[in-house]
């Protein structure tokens, strides 16, 4: 079981759909197969079984990575791709000044590189609000756990604040809050402080996503690229059905 769920068996199902979201084939893989490893057989299937040419594959950020991009571009295929990039990759593009934050203020922005890559950028306000709400909920959970640990320290004189503090820090790491939450323990009490500067940095790309493609502009506008990527919802629907 690749997801590490003890006592549960797992298989991986690969679903290939056409541009209208209609399923073309299903393939079963062993339960420890990572998503990118299921991608190569689909390329071969599209080329050999379906005899297709000039195809653009659309997949999410966990499916189409650098090795898969190279596979698509290689002989004899010469296929293309549309995918999304990860948050660390977005931050790298910002640091290298390939993209700028103000581009996310546009309805839909595009940046092209000399390597023939195109990035399509957008901020989803609804998603940004969801992330903010999730962050607030996590903070409430952590504060509640601190209150519980502080109460335990009061009621159990032999308990140490160091051990309790380590537990809270571990919880904050699991909740992915350690970058902007400061935990300290002294005089048998645990305290929490929010690093506002770190929080602003953490939240600056909330709701932002960047699509990546090697398609020429003559082949697809930024609007088409964005629409085709959003059509992955059709695949998710087909998978459930």
């Amino acid at each position: 079981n690749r997801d590490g769920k003890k006592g549960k068996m797992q298989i991986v199902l690969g679903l290939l759909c056409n541009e209208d979201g209609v399923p073309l084939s299903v393939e079963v893989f062993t339960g420890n197969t990572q998503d990118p490893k299921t991608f190569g057989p689909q390329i071969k299937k599209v080329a050999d079984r379906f005899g297709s040419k000039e195809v653009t594959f659309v997949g999410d950020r966990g499916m189409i990575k650098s090795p898969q991009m190279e596979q698509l571009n290689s002989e004899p295929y010469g296929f293309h791709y549309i995918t999304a990039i990860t948050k660390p990759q977005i931050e790298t593009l910002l640091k290298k000044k390939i993209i700028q934050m103000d581009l996310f203020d546009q309805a839909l922005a595009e940046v092209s590189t000399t390597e023939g890559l195109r990035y399509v950028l957008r901020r989803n306000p609804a998603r940004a609000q969801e992330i903010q709400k999730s962050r607030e909920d996590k903070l409430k959970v952590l504060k509640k756990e601190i209150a519980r640990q502080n109460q335990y320290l009061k009621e159990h004189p032999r308990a140490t604040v160091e051990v309790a503090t380590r537990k809270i820090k571990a919880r904050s790491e699991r909740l992915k809050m350690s970058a902007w939450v400061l935990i300290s323990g002294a005089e048998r009490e645990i305290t929490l402080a929010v690093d506002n500067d770190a929080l602003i940095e953490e939240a600056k790309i909330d709701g932002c996503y960047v699509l990546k493609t090697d398609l020429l502009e003559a082949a697809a506008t930024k609007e088409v690229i964005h629409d085709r990527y959003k059509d992955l919802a059709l695949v998710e629907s087909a998978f459930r059905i």
Side-chain angles (χ1 to χ4, degrees):
N1 186 318
R2 72 177 192 186
D3 294 334
K5 295 179 181 176
K6 294 180 181 179
K8 296 192 176 192
M9 303 298 288
Q10 180 172 326
I11 59 174
V12 173
L13 299 174
L15 177 64
L16 181 69
C17 295
N18 69 8
E19 63 185 283
D20 297 316
V22 177
L24 300 179
S25 75
V26 175
E27 190 166 347
V28 183
F29 299 87
T30 54
N32 61 349
T33 308
Q34 299 298 319
D35 287 348
K37 295 292 184 182
T38 70
F39 193 74
Q42 311 312 311
I43 300 173
K44 184 174 174 57
K45 186 186 299 180
V46 167
D48 297 344
R49 177 177 163 189
F50 296 116
S52 302
K53 300 177 190 278
E54 298 183 6
V55 172
T56 299
F57 280 75
V58 185
D60 63 26
R61 57 180 61 83
M63 181 69 70
I64 304 180
K65 300 183 178 182
S66 295
Q68 289 69 45
M69 294 172 188
E70 291 178 10
Q71 237 181 326
L72 285 167
N73 294 155
S74 66
E75 294 291 340
Y77 306 121
F79 293 150
H80 298 279
Y81 61 85
I82 297 172
T83 189
I85 65 174
T86 64
K87 181 178 178 180
Q89 288 172 327
I90 294 175
E91 291 170 342
T92 297
L93 292 179
L94 287 167
K95 287 177 182 176
K96 291 182 176 179
K97 301 188 184 305
I98 295 173
I99 63 175
Q100 295 78 38
M101 280 304 303
D102 58 4
L103 291 173
F104 290 106
D105 296 333
Q106 301 179 29
L108 195 64
E110 179 183 345
V111 172
S112 300
T113 71
T114 54
E115 291 84 12
L117 298 177
R118 296 167 64 197
Y119 296 102
V120 176
L121 301 77
R122 183 173 182 264
R123 185 193 296 271
N124 183 337
R127 178 59 183 152
Q129 289 179 356
E130 288 176 6
I131 296 171
Q132 175 62 24
K133 177 66 166 55
S134 173
R135 201 175 280 123
E136 291 170 356
D137 290 343
K138 288 178 180 180
L139 189 58
K140 289 178 183 177
V141 167
L142 195 62
K143 286 180 176 179
K144 186 176 180 180
E145 180 62 19
I146 289 173
R148 192 181 73 82
Q149 288 290 341
N150 282 336
Q151 184 63 32
Y152 184 86
L153 287 168
K154 286 181 182 179
E155 295 173 354
H156 298 79
R158 298 180 66 180
T160 65
V161 70
E162 290 79 14
V163 171
T165 302
R166 282 200 300 271
K167 289 180 180 179
I168 295 298
K169 287 183 176 180
R171 185 70 181 273
S172 73
E173 288 176 3
R174 287 196 298 272
L175 292 171
K176 298 181 179 179
M177 301 170 63
S178 54
W180 51 277
V181 166
L182 305 174
I183 307 295
S184 59
E187 298 180 0
R188 302 192 60 75
E189 185 176 22
I190 304 169
T191 57
L192 176 150
V194 174
D195 184 334
N196 289 316
D197 291 338
L199 180 57
I200 291 170
E201 183 67 20
E202 176 81 8
K204 73 177 183 181
I205 57 174
D206 283 358
C208 295
Y209 59 92
V210 177
L211 308 182
K212 178 181 178 180
T213 185
D214 62 344
L215 281 169
L216 296 174
E217 191 171 356
T221 64
K222 64 178 183 290
E223 288 79 13
V224 168
I225 291 166
H226 181 263
D227 290 347
R228 292 295 78 76
Y229 185 79
K230 299 300 285 185
D231 281 346
L232 281 176
L234 299 173
V235 183
E236 295 172 2
S237 176
F239 202 102
R240 285 194 298 272
I241 294 169

